[in-house]
Amino acid sequence: MLAAQTTNTEGWSIGLIVAYFFVLLLTRWLFVARPQQRASEAMLDGLEAEILALPGEAKGALDAIGRARQLRNDQPNALLRMLSWSGARDIAIWRLGHDAQRLAIAGMSFEQVSARLARGRAEVSELPASSQDYWSVALRTAWTPAQDATARATLNEFLVELFDARDVKFANLATAQTRVVWIASVGLVLILLLTQHEYDAVFAAGATGAVVARMRSALQQRDVASDYGLSWSSLALTPVAGALSAWVGLFFVSLLQDLEILNLKEQLGTVTADDIRNPKAPLLGLAILFGFAERLLNRVGDELQESVAANKSVVPPSPATGVLVAPPVELPAASPAAAEVVEDEEVDEVEHYGEESPVTGLSLGDVEGVEDTPPIDEEDDDEAVADEGEGEAVDEGAPDVSLGEVEAAMAAPALEEEDDDEGGDPR
């Protein structure tokens, strides 16, 4: 009985996935491909009418429109177009239409050329940034009828750059739609394979969360330029992305718990592959959250990537709060070998200047003598200064001074300045 129920569930899952793939192709054809084809047909009709209304002849422009119409009519049947549409034919038709507008300059009057150049000032912002400064200045020229040929050539070069920028934008959007459909198809194949392992409930929960999130954002209307149907393609990708995000997210949570980076065992228990195959209410809620919040999977994946890449040990979070605690950082102790190197360098320096240091003028014996000298008391130092001042006052009248007194006076200039302040030196 259980085997029959499992087979029935897998059959429904496979049928639903295949049906969604055809719905995806139909949505792309009805809301992306057909509107672009109708828009290109309307553009060609409008261009032909404008060119025929010009005062001059523009045969090259009419030839470009003819080639575009031939490309439009040379298409396979509707079923093949729905299955194989990639936007390449529409890109070619738009390029031919832009060529027709540029070639129509030959049939314009001078006033029409001047008006088109003036209109180009408002279109400079569509150009690449490297060309905007040049054309914003070049299009401000006041043209005269004598400069008709120069004005036409300037307009032709400006339209070449303008239409190239527009064609590149249109081609990027068209190829983006193709990439979205390809990614959605690969996602459906993965879901089809994983449903054989009974992950249906997780996929359904993730898809539900993604659809609910898209429904909420659809209510917020934004005033944006036409994206040529790209929003429809991304909308079709939403359930597939939500389903896979839920499945990947639950396995990320399981791995984070095994690495003791995340602690949700009290809320979710141990998350294993069997638990994901038969999820309980907490796991289903988490799967819906992964499908609903697109950034949640990115944050969990970044945390896992940083932890694995750094290969660092993280203290398990508190069971009460679930907050991660950073491990204590221990500063490296001083190496004994490094201390011995510093001591050896100091000894080598003293030995190198053993006779006399070029900086201080002291020899190794002087340094050792200074280290062995006992410290002098501040009171004794003051008494010695006072005695020295009195001695200078008594010996002031003596005509000869001994060599020892001269050396003492030169070695202690600060003491003489102090005696001068006290008035002890009458000289």
Side-chain angles (χ1 to χ4, degrees):
M1 181 66 180
L2 182 60
Q5 184 178 359
T6 303
T7 304
N8 190 22
T9 303
E10 292 180 357
W12 276 104
S13 301
I14 295 173
L16 184 62
I17 292 172
V18 174
Y20 185 82
F21 177 73
F22 282 102
V23 170
L24 175 64
L25 295 179
L26 183 62
T27 301
R28 185 183 65 154
W29 172 252
L30 292 177
F31 300 108
V32 180
R34 291 298 294 171
Q36 289 187 12
Q37 292 180 0
R38 297 305 183 195
S40 60
E41 292 174 1
M43 179 194 67
L44 294 177
D45 292 340
L47 278 178
E48 186 176 13
E50 290 181 4
I51 292 170
L52 294 176
L54 292 176
E57 183 179 0
K59 186 175 182 301
L62 293 176
D63 291 342
I65 292 178
R67 292 196 300 272
R69 290 189 182 281
Q70 182 180 0
L71 189 61
R72 168 60 61 201
N73 296 329
D74 186 16
Q75 294 190 45
N77 57 56
L79 180 60
L80 289 178
R81 278 184 288 171
M82 183 183 69
L83 296 176
S84 62
W85 181 85
S86 62
R89 191 181 300 270
D90 297 287
I91 294 174
I93 291 174
W94 277 96
R95 285 187 177 274
L96 288 172
H98 289 158
D99 289 341
Q101 293 184 50
R102 184 173 52 81
L103 295 172
I105 298 175
M108 294 181 180
S109 63
F110 175 75
E111 290 76 13
Q112 289 175 327
V113 173
S114 300
R116 186 64 184 87
L117 285 170
R119 174 188 166 190
R121 299 175 187 173
E123 300 170 334
V124 172
S125 59
E126 300 183 36
L127 299 176
S130 58
S131 303
Q132 291 182 8
D133 294 338
Y134 171 76
W135 286 111
S136 61
V137 176
L139 294 178
R140 294 182 181 276
T141 305
W143 305 99
T144 62
Q147 299 174 320
D148 180 70
T150 305
R152 293 177 187 272
T154 302
L155 178 58
N156 180 76
E157 295 300 323
F158 171 72
L159 292 180
V160 167
E161 287 206 39
L162 177 64
F163 292 150
D164 281 346
R166 291 179 177 177
D167 291 338
V168 168
K169 178 182 177 181
F170 179 73
N172 289 337
L173 290 173
T175 54
Q177 296 166 4
T178 305
R179 289 195 300 269
V180 167
V181 173
W182 185 85
I183 293 173
S185 302
V186 173
L188 288 175
V189 172
L190 293 176
I191 294 175
L192 182 61
L193 295 175
L194 292 172
T195 50
Q196 308 302 317
H197 298 278
E198 302 177 5
Y199 291 111
D200 308 357
V202 173
F203 290 141
T208 302
V211 171
V212 172
R214 182 63 67 175
M215 291 172 62
R216 292 179 66 253
S217 62
L219 299 177
Q220 303 174 358
Q221 298 181 355
R222 294 177 297 176
D223 187 13
V224 296
S226 175
D227 58 358
Y228 301 100
L230 181 60
S231 58
W232 278 102
S233 299
S234 60
L235 182 63
L237 181 62
T238 297
V240 180
L244 291 175
S245 297
W247 183 79
V248 173
L250 291 183
F251 276 98
F252 274 0
V253 170
S254 176
L255 181 57
L256 289 172
Q257 285 193 351
D258 292 341
L259 295 176
E260 297 184 351
I261 299 174
L262 185 67
N263 187 5
L264 294 176
K265 292 183 179 180
E266 293 186 358
Q267 294 81 6
L268 302 176
T270 56
V271 181
T272 62
D274 293 333
D275 296 326
I276 297 176
R277 290 190 186 96
N278 302 296
K280 297 181 181 179
L283 277 184
L284 281 177
L286 188 59
I288 294 175
L289 183 60
F290 274 115
F292 182 85
E294 299 175 355
R295 297 181 181 179
L296 179 60
L297 181 62
N298 297 333
R299 294 180 60 182
V300 174
D302 292 342
E303 179 68 24
L304 179 60
Q305 183 179 0
E306 292 175 1
S307 301
V308 174
N311 194 18
K312 60 185 179 180
S313 60
V314 181
V315 177
S318 171
T321 60
V323 178
L324 295 176
V325 180
V329 179
E330 296 182 358
L331 296 178
S335 173
E340 292 179 0
V341 171
V342 175
E343 183 178 356
D344 292 343
E345 291 179 355
E346 294 177 352
V347 173
D348 293 341
E349 183 178 358
V350 175
E351 291 178 354
H352 179 71
Y353 301 115
E355 296 180 358
E356 183 175 328
S357 172
V359 179
T360 62
L362 298 176
S363 65
L364 180 60
D366 296 335
V367 174
E368 294 175 351
V370 171
E371 293 178 353
D372 297 337
T373 303
I376 302 175
D377 246 3
E378 294 182 0
E379 297 180 358
D380 298 341
D381 191 13
D382 295 338
E383 293 176 359
V385 173
D387 294 342
E388 185 179 354
E390 294 176 358
E392 289 179 1
V394 171
D395 296 338
E396 182 181 2
D400 52 351
V401 181
S402 65
L403 181 60
E405 292 178 354
V406 174
E407 292 178 352
M410 294 179 63
L415 299 178
E416 292 182 359
E417 293 177 3
E418 184 177 351
D419 294 339
D420 292 341
D421 296 337
E422 295 177 357
D425 190 0
R427 288 178 295 181

